[in-house]
Amino acid sequence: AQKITQTQPGMFVQEKEAVTLDCTYDTSDQSYGLFWYKQPSSGEMIFLIYQGSYDEQNATEGRYSLNFQKARKSANLVISASQLGDSAMYFCAMREGRLNSGGYQKVTFGTGTKLQVIP
Amino acid sequence: DSGVTQTPKHLITATGQRVTLRCSPRSGDLSVYWYQQSLDQGLQFLIHYYNGEERAKGNILERFSAQQFPDLHSELNLSSLELGDSALYFCASSVGLKTGTGTSGNTIYFGEGSWLTVV
């Protein structure tokens, strides 16, 4: 079973509009973290936002916010006021596991959503 | 600039050869992750090191090996290279102490990647 599912291979949004990129996850761990990354055509992977499983408030970073619905196991990224520079691939990722007591951590990525912002 | 340094940025080599990719994590980060990104396989987790110890293995081939040194830099060795090994190889790092709450200590930052072309 897929650990991270991004069901939207591609999306279009009008400049200055808001857009939501979907992400659902699957884990049996109680302690986990969810990430969103942006990958422009140049290839680098840019960290956008992080949500811990115990964080009660939804994470926000500037124009990015993470709509975390724990019971539904979803962690959607909302980009407000889209800009042309937002055109890129967006990846949702999850970190499971503990480092305490010799534990491990594994980070799994979804297949990505290609966002194109239209002027 | 994420603070994670990867060298070389681009590498072209022949089938059957061996290459070493190097990663310097962000200052203070103890965890190092290696990922392979290819067009047909997406972003694949290879291996995770924490403070010099291997902690988790993903889809890493036996022809590939990695290590993290006492100064926390890491190397990914790829041997007996095949055409299918052509990909973008990412190193990422984090403080890696906690999972589940807050951004501090949990954010995973990626380097710019090493583009490997096997001809």
Side-chain angles (χ1 to χ4, degrees):
Chain A
Q2 291 289 329
K3 289 274 190 178
I4 295 284
T5 302
Q6 294 181 254
T7 56
Q8 307 151 313
M11 288 193 70
F12 290 91
V13 64
Q14 203 76 37
E15 194 178 6
K16 298 179 186 176
E17 297 291 312
V19 63
T20 298
L21 306 183
D22 294 341
C23 173
T24 57
Y25 60 91
D26 182 27
T27 181
S28 56
D29 282 3
Q30 295 301 307
S31 179
Y32 54 91
L34 297 154
F35 302 80
W36 277 92
Y37 289 87
K38 171 184 176 182
Q39 187 177 38
S41 57
S42 52
E44 71 265 38
M45 196 71 76
I46 302 167
F47 166 77
L48 296 178
I49 199 166
Y50 173 85
Q51 178 86 39
S53 56
Y54 296 130
D55 293 335
E56 294 185 354
Q57 305 253 9
N58 285 343
T60 59
E61 291 283 351
R63 294 185 299 110
Y64 304 108
S65 60
L66 199 152
N67 185 358
F68 181 46
Q69 298 188 42
K70 198 169 180 176
R72 296 180 60 186
K73 294 190 174 179
S74 75
N76 298 338
L77 176 71
V78 180
I79 306 175
S80 62
S82 296
Q83 302 171 357
L84 295 177
D86 294 334
S87 294
M89 280 289 285
Y90 288 81
F91 291 94
C92 179
M94 174 173 66
R95 179 162 73 182
E96 304 168 274
R98 294 182 177 276
L99 278 173
N100 304 336
S101 303
Y104 72 95
Q105 288 190 339
K106 185 175 178 181
V107 183
T108 310
F109 280 75
T111 51
T113 296
K114 185 171 183 177
L115 177 67
Q116 295 186 62
V117 181
I118 305 166
Chain B
D1 182 5
S2 67
V4 180
T5 304
Q6 286 188 250
T7 56
K9 287 189 168 39
H10 297 272
L11 190 57
I12 301 174
T13 191
T15 54
Q17 294 298 304
R18 172 190 170 95
V19 299
T20 297
L21 309 181
R22 183 187 167 99
C23 170
S24 294
R26 285 167 19 109
S27 177
D29 284 0
L30 300 175
S31 272
V32 169
Y33 308 82
W34 284 97
Y35 284 86
Q36 178 194 57
Q37 187 178 33
S38 57
L39 284 175
D40 57 345
Q41 293 288 325
L43 201 64
Q44 298 287 317
F45 166 72
L46 295 178
I47 199 162
H48 167 223
Y49 279 87
Y50 176 75
N51 203 19
E53 292 185 14
E54 179 188 305
R55 289 301 184 95
K57 262 187 176 179
N59 302 320
I60 187 166
L61 299 172
E62 285 190 11
R63 299 184 286 109
F64 296 178
S65 64
Q67 58 185 131
Q68 187 179 26
F69 295 88
D71 66 353
L72 301 177
H73 92 270
S74 178
E75 292 182 356
L76 179 66
N77 300 296
L78 314 175
S79 61
S80 302
L81 284 167
E82 302 175 359
L83 296 177
D85 297 328
S86 296
L88 179 57
Y89 290 84
F90 282 110
C91 168
S93 77
S94 75
V95 173
L97 293 178
K98 295 190 293 186
T99 299
T101 57
T103 301
S104 176
N106 282 303
T107 305
I108 300 176
Y109 292 97
F110 279 72
E112 294 185 349
S114 293
W115 289 90
L116 173 66
T117 303
V118 182
V119 297

